[in-house]
């Protein structure tokens, strides 16, 4: 595409952002997502893997998984680790031959999420026992998990499950009970092999290369004695997840998608994924029994909740114990999965956060009321809004500035005409015990006169395109590049930018808002970054997409911690999230709409976030888009007072609606 054409299209997209709403055809469905379409077409009973060479190594159960099919490229390695408090970890990866120069790269394993304390809680397995269970003809290997629970590796057919000894050795959670496990292995394209669907995929004019071929993983997970399942945020729907496949479910119902995207004015009661992805599912039974399953994987994920009778035509006589079956599919990565035994939801959350980290303790001011708008126009506007809160005796603690407070949407700068005295403005608020938050997004304006861009480009700190050059796309500043935040060196460099020396005009009462960090790329596929973009060590963006915003949030939070010499708790709001985000600050439910449906659905959205470890969250009070009537706005404020994170926020095209205006 010619540069001028690209510019015109990007400007058209930017100008239309204020009027467009969610358009389903701008985003992929399962049939347009090759790995999801392939996985959903598989039938139960197809897995032919069996474990061999079962032993103990470094306190873990280890085994080799071999297939009876001759097309298995290399063996798979399996390990089972046990931790205090009833936590079981399963890892399955390819067994690479590092001596082979033609061997492909290793698969991506997500770093920096699992807490360093987890290893100290590891139970070193000393022995294995072999049992023949339930009149089966083949043996199973059993290891101790915790008082009352065992972990079982079934040999033939291959299956892993947790059994509850207190209920007669009944299953609690299982993986591959229905033999749907499939692991597509990395390949190297042979000389002369033609391009095709194995090596590239297309969507709406975009082409992503697949230099290592398809690399998806899928498997079934069953929750026993469960009445319903919840979790796997983020989406705008009920707390209990509805079936997506099975008798009585319409054929066009989509799986629950986990793929961080910029989805403004999103639909309620839709399985479509939104700004964050957290692959933790929790089951619940009538007697208060809960269990959890968590898959640490940063690639796109699709998850089916299977209705009763979904497998009726499989011809296999499954155990009749009541259960909920689910089907998990991911585009890349490895199996790095955790089983949590509960027994209640509180214990599941505790077990999960012992793996990914406890929520950060918020500053006192941050749990009070926040006032935000895109954009408060200038210092006079800020002063007037602040004065009106005093005049009407309405308590608030934080005033926010969106992108237009900057110089041409260059972050860490101020518009010298509109905000000529930023330090004085912040100090006036601070004298009343109030704070300010400014926005800092991951897209960096490509302007050689902009020091931040020039330094990042010179250091090679940007994400690369498939050809190895700095990737650039379009976002609020126009042509922009994106920092490779998976690199700890770049995260440290970024953190230094929040010092008072580097962020000129900032003060100790200024905190930060990370938006658009899914990442959002206006002219990219699905308004995001191409999957074949390259990160540190040649990692493809498809492998770490869902964690990009997490690393940006981490770097910003650590920057504020560094700014305060470790003596000031950071406050950083993030739109994108991933397991571990709770360690770095709050999130919110994104660009909602001023209507009753979005008011209603904010409750299960926030409850689901809390249930999956992100306890500090909220929704834009009043609705970001549109103009709420007086009753809706009042009701939203009444509900918002109970959100953990309580912020009124509005789009620039809406009427002014500070609380004293009542939406008129």
């Amino acid at each position: 595409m010619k540069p001028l054409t690209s510019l015109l299209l990007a400007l058209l997209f930017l100008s239309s952002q204020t009027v467009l709403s969610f358009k389903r055809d701008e985003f992929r469905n399962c049939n347009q997502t090759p790995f999801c379409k392939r996985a959903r077409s598989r039938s139960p009973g197809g897995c032919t893997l069996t474990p061999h060479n079962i032993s103990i190594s470094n306190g873990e159960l280890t085994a080799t998984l071999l297939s009876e099919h001759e097309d298995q490229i290399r063996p798979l390695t399996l390990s089972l680790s046990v931790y205090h408090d009833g936590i079981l970890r399963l890892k399955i990866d390819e067994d690479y031959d590092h001596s082979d120069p033609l061997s492909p790269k290793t698969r991506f394993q997500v770093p920096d999420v699992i807490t360093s304390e987890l290893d100290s809680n590891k139970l070193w397995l000393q022995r294995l026992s072999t049992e023949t269970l339930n009149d089966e003809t083949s043996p199973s290997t059993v290891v101790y998990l915790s008082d009352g629970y065992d972990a079982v590796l079934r040999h033939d057919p291959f299956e892993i499950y947790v059994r509850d000894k207190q209920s007669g050795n009944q299953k609690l959670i299982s993986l591959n009970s229905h033999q749907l496990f499939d692991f597509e292995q990395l390949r190297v394209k042979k000389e002369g092999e033609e391009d095709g669907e194995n090596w590239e995929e297309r969507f709406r004019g975009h082409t992503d290369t697949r230099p290592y071929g398809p690399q998806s993983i899928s498997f079934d997970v069953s929750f026993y004695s469960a009445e319903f399942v919840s979790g796997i945020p983020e989406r705008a729907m009920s707390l209990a997840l509805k079936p997506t496949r099975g008798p009585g479910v319409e054929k066009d119902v989509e799986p629950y998608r986990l793929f961080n995207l910029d989805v403004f004015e999103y639909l309620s009661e839709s399985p479509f994924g939104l700004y964050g992805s957290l692959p933790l599912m929790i089951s619940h039974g009538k007697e208060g029994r809960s269990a959890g399953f968590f898959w640490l994987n940063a690639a796109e994920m699709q998850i089916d909740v299977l209705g009763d009778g979904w497998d009726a035509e499989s011809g296999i006589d499954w155990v009749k114990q009541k259960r909920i079956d689910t089907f998990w599919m991911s585009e890349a990565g490895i199996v790095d999965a955790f089983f949590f035994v509960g027994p209640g939801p509180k214990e599941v959350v505790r077990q999960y956060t012992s793996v990914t980290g406890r929520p950060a303790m918020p500053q006192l001011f941050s749990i009070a009321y926040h006032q935000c708008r895109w954009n408060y126009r200038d210092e006079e506007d800020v002063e007037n809004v602040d004065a009106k809160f005093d005049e009407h005796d309405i308590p608030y603690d934080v005033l926010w500035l969106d992108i237009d407070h900057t110089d041409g949407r260059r972050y860490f700068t101020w518009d010298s005409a509109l905000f000529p005295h930023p330090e004085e403005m912040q100090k006036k608020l601070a004298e009343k015990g109030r704070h300010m938050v400014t926005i800092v997004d991951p897209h960096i304006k490509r302007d050689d006169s902009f020091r931040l861009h020039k330094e990042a480009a010179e250091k090679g700190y940007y994400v690369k395109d498939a050809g190895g050059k700095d990737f650039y796309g379009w976002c609020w500043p126009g042509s922009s590049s994106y920092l490779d935040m998976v690199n700890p060196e770049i995260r440290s460099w970024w953190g230094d930018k929040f010092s008072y020396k580097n962020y000129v005009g900032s003060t100790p009462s200024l905190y930060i808002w990370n938006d658009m960090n899914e990442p959002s790329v206006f002219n990219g596929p699905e308004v995001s970054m191409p999957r074949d973009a390259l990160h540190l060590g040649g990692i493809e963006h498809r492998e770490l997409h869902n964690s990009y915003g997490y690393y940006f949030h981490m770097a910003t939070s650590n920057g504020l911690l560094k700014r305060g010499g470790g003596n000031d708790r950071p406050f950083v709001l993030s739109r994108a999230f991933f397991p571990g985000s709770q360690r770095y600050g709050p999130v919110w439910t994104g660009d909602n709409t001023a209507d009753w449906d979005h008011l209603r659905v904010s409750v299960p959205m926030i409850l689901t976030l809390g249930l999956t470890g992100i306890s500090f969250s909220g929704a834009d009070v009043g609705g970001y888009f549109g103009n709420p009537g007086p009753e809706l706005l009042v009701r939203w404020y009444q509900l918002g007072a109970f959100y953990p994170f309580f912020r009124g926020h509005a789009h620039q095209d809406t009427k002014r609606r500070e609380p004293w205006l009542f939406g008129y």
Side-chain angles (χ1 to χ4, degrees):
M1 187 179 290
K2 295 180 179 179
L4 180 58
T5 305
S6 299
L7 175 61
L8 292 173
L9 285 174
L11 291 174
L12 177 62
F13 190 95
L14 287 167
S15 67
S16 65
Q17 281 286 286
T18 59
V19 295
L20 288 178
S21 60
F22 179 83
K23 290 187 176 180
R24 192 182 302 273
D25 62 356
E26 292 179 350
F27 303 99
R28 300 185 194 217
N29 59 38
C30 181
N31 281 332
Q32 295 167 321
T33 308
F35 80 88
C36 183
K37 184 177 180 180
R38 289 194 304 276
R40 255 188 160 191
S41 69
R42 298 187 186 106
S43 299
C47 177
T48 64
L49 293 170
T50 53
H52 298 261
N53 306 320
I54 301 169
S55 63
I56 290 178
S57 176
N58 293 322
E60 302 173 352
L61 181 156
T62 63
T64 301
L65 294 177
L66 298 176
S67 172
E68 66 182 36
H69 292 161
E70 295 181 357
D71 60 355
Q72 185 178 26
I73 300 173
R74 58 190 70 85
L76 301 178
T77 61
L78 176 150
S79 67
L80 280 176
S81 308
V82 175
Y83 301 88
H84 284 292
D85 203 18
I87 298 171
L88 176 69
R89 184 180 192 179
L90 165 68
K91 295 185 77 171
I92 300 176
D93 195 2
E94 302 189 45
D95 189 5
Y96 307 99
D97 181 0
H98 296 289
S99 64
D100 182 359
L102 298 179
S103 179
K105 66 167 190 174
T106 57
R107 300 174 78 103
F108 179 62
Q109 301 187 40
V110 184
D112 309 306
V113 170
I114 303 301
T115 63
S116 57
E117 294 82 11
L118 186 65
D119 276 345
S120 64
N121 291 325
K122 183 177 177 180
L123 298 178
W124 283 67
L125 300 177
Q126 302 297 321
R127 62 184 180 85
L128 307 174
S129 62
T130 302
E131 300 179 23
T132 301
L133 307 171
N134 303 321
D135 299 322
E136 296 175 353
T137 57
S138 63
S140 296
T141 300
V142 180
V143 297
Y144 170 85
L145 178 55
S146 67
D147 290 344
Y149 302 95
D150 285 329
V152 179
L153 170 60
R154 189 180 178 193
H155 299 181
D156 188 14
F158 164 58
E159 178 187 8
I160 293 166
Y161 62 89
V162 173
R163 69 180 185 185
D164 184 352
K165 293 188 287 186
Q166 302 171 63
S167 61
N169 285 335
Q170 286 193 329
K171 291 181 180 179
L172 180 63
I173 320 171
S174 68
L175 184 145
N176 204 37
S177 295
H178 297 276
Q179 299 299 297
L180 283 166
F181 186 94
D182 188 81
F183 196 114
E184 296 181 326
Q185 296 185 284
L186 301 179
R187 296 192 291 155
V188 176
K189 190 176 181 181
K190 297 177 181 177
E191 187 175 349
E193 188 174 354
E194 294 184 2
D195 291 336
E197 62 179 18
N198 282 337
W199 305 105
E200 62 184 24
E201 56 187 71
R202 296 182 175 88
F203 178 72
R204 289 178 61 89
H206 296 276
T207 299
D208 281 318
T209 59
R210 290 200 295 219
Y212 300 97
Q215 50 182 294
S216 71
I217 303 171
S218 54
F219 49 78
D220 56 278
V221 175
S222 297
F223 300 88
Y224 296 82
S225 302
E227 301 295 328
F228 66 92
V229 290
S230 56
I232 58 170
E234 182 184 33
R235 64 203 76 259
M237 65 179 307
S238 60
L239 184 66
L241 297 170
K242 300 173 183 177
T244 56
R245 284 173 62 188
V249 180
E250 295 180 8
K251 290 186 177 181
D252 62 348
V253 173
E254 289 289 304
Y256 295 103
R257 190 182 191 195
L258 291 175
F259 191 65
N260 295 5
L261 290 171
D262 182 355
V263 188
F264 51 92
E265 291 190 276
Y266 47 81
L267 301 177
S268 61
E269 294 308 318
S270 168
F272 196 84
L274 301 179
Y275 305 95
S277 297
L278 209 161
L280 167 66
M281 187 177 285
I282 301 175
S283 67
H284 311 273
K286 283 184 177 178
E287 297 179 357
R289 190 70 175 84
S290 298
F293 178 80
F294 164 51
W295 186 5
L296 178 57
N297 187 309
E300 178 179 356
M301 202 176 291
Q302 304 261 4
I303 303 169
D304 272 316
V305 175
L306 306 170
D308 289 343
W310 70 274
D311 58 342
E313 299 178 0
S314 67
I316 302 174
D317 184 20
W318 300 113
V319 177
K320 300 303 181 184
Q321 181 185 354
K322 183 174 178 58
R323 67 180 190 271
I324 293 179
D325 297 324
T326 60
F327 185 47
W328 299 61
M329 306 161 271
S330 180
E331 184 180 12
I334 68 166
V335 178
D336 190 356
F338 293 80
F339 301 74
F340 305 120
V341 301
K346 181 170 67 174
E347 287 77 23
V348 172
V349 174
R350 185 188 68 232
Q351 290 154 5
Y352 166 73
T353 56
S354 73
V355 171
T356 62
R358 308 298 188 195
M361 178 69 74
Q363 293 210 38
L364 188 61
F365 77 82
S366 66
I367 62 173
Y369 178 64
H370 301 241
Q371 181 64 41
C372 184
R373 180 177 181 81
W374 179 20
N375 201 84
Y376 286 117
R377 295 185 298 267
D378 50 31
E379 289 179 2
E380 182 180 4
D381 197 9
V382 167
E383 188 172 355
N384 289 338
V385 169
D386 180 66
K388 282 289 186 180
F389 274 97
D390 292 332
E391 178 184 332
H392 292 279
D393 196 23
I394 299 174
Y396 94 107
D397 277 48
V398 194
L399 196 143
W400 295 51
L401 295 179
D402 211 315
I403 53 178
D404 290 330
H405 79 279
T406 62
D407 176 15
R409 298 176 177 176
R410 300 170 179 87
Y411 299 110
F412 301 104
T413 69
W414 303 84
D415 186 308
S416 59
L418 302 178
F419 295 90
H421 310 105
E423 292 181 62
E424 183 180 338
M425 174 180 63
Q426 294 162 58
K427 288 176 181 176
K428 286 180 180 178
L429 293 175
E431 287 169 0
K432 300 179 182 181
R434 292 168 180 162
H435 301 76
M436 177 164 276
V437 170
T438 54
I439 196 167
V440 178
D441 290 349
H443 45 263
I444 307 301
K445 185 180 180 70
R446 292 182 61 85
D447 178 351
D448 289 339
S449 67
F450 183 25
R451 187 178 65 179
L452 185 69
H453 163 67
K454 187 175 181 180
E455 186 177 348
E458 289 174 350
K459 290 178 176 289
Y461 280 174
Y462 286 135
V463 175
K464 309 303 179 188
D465 62 23
K469 298 179 180 178
D470 285 351
F471 168 77
Y472 67 93
W474 288 84
C475 208
W476 296 125
S479 181
S480 306
S481 284
Y482 297 73
L483 295 165
D484 185 7
M485 286 298 186
V486 74
N487 187 334
E489 176 186 329
I490 298 173
R491 293 200 300 270
S492 178
W493 170 83
W494 177 256
D496 291 336
K497 302 306 173 189
F498 292 93
S499 70
Y500 304 121
K501 175 184 176 182
N502 287 324
Y503 192 175
V504 177
S506 65
T507 71
S509 64
L510 181 74
Y511 295 92
I512 301 299
W513 168 20
N514 289 162
D515 198 1
M516 316 297 286
N517 54 337
E518 293 75 32
S520 179
V521 183
F522 289 161
N523 62 335
E526 299 190 274
V527 200
S528 194
M529 192 174 288
R531 297 175 191 231
D532 57 5
L534 297 174
H535 296 261
L536 174 70
I539 302 165
E540 297 173 81
H541 187 72
R542 74 178 78 248
E543 300 176 273
L544 60 76
H545 171 85
N546 286 342
S547 64
Y548 182 86
Y550 165 74
Y551 286 112
F552 191 74
H553 194 193
M554 176 198 297
T556 303
S557 179
N558 287 339
L560 289 189
L561 196 63
K562 187 185 299 186
R563 180 189 77 175
N567 297 315
D568 183 33
R569 272 180 263 161
F571 173 83
V572 181
L573 178 74
S574 176
R575 191 168 72 175
F577 60 83
F578 189 67
S581 289
Q582 68 271 10
R583 305 203 302 260
Y584 300 107
V587 306
W588 91 108
T589 61
D591 296 346
N592 59 1
T593 304
D595 62 39
W596 290 94
D597 274 348
H598 275 225
L599 171 65
R600 175 188 54 79
V601 83
S602 71
V603 176
M605 291 180 78
I606 291 169
L607 289 175
T608 301
L609 287 167
L611 193 62
T612 52
I614 302 182
S615 54
F616 196 11
S617 65
D620 281 342
V621 170
Y624 179 62
F625 289 104
N627 295 302
E631 183 181 0
L632 175 58
L633 189 60
V634 168
R635 297 302 184 201
W636 214 317
Y637 269 98
Q638 290 174 325
L639 177 62
F642 293 93
Y643 293 161
F645 172 61
F646 181 21
R647 179 181 74 160
H649 187 32
H651 189 271
Q652 62 181 349
D653 288 345
T654 65
K655 297 177 182 177
R656 292 293 289 254
R657 57 165 120 115
E658 285 72 29
W660 53 86
L661 297 176
F662 296 100
Y664 289 105

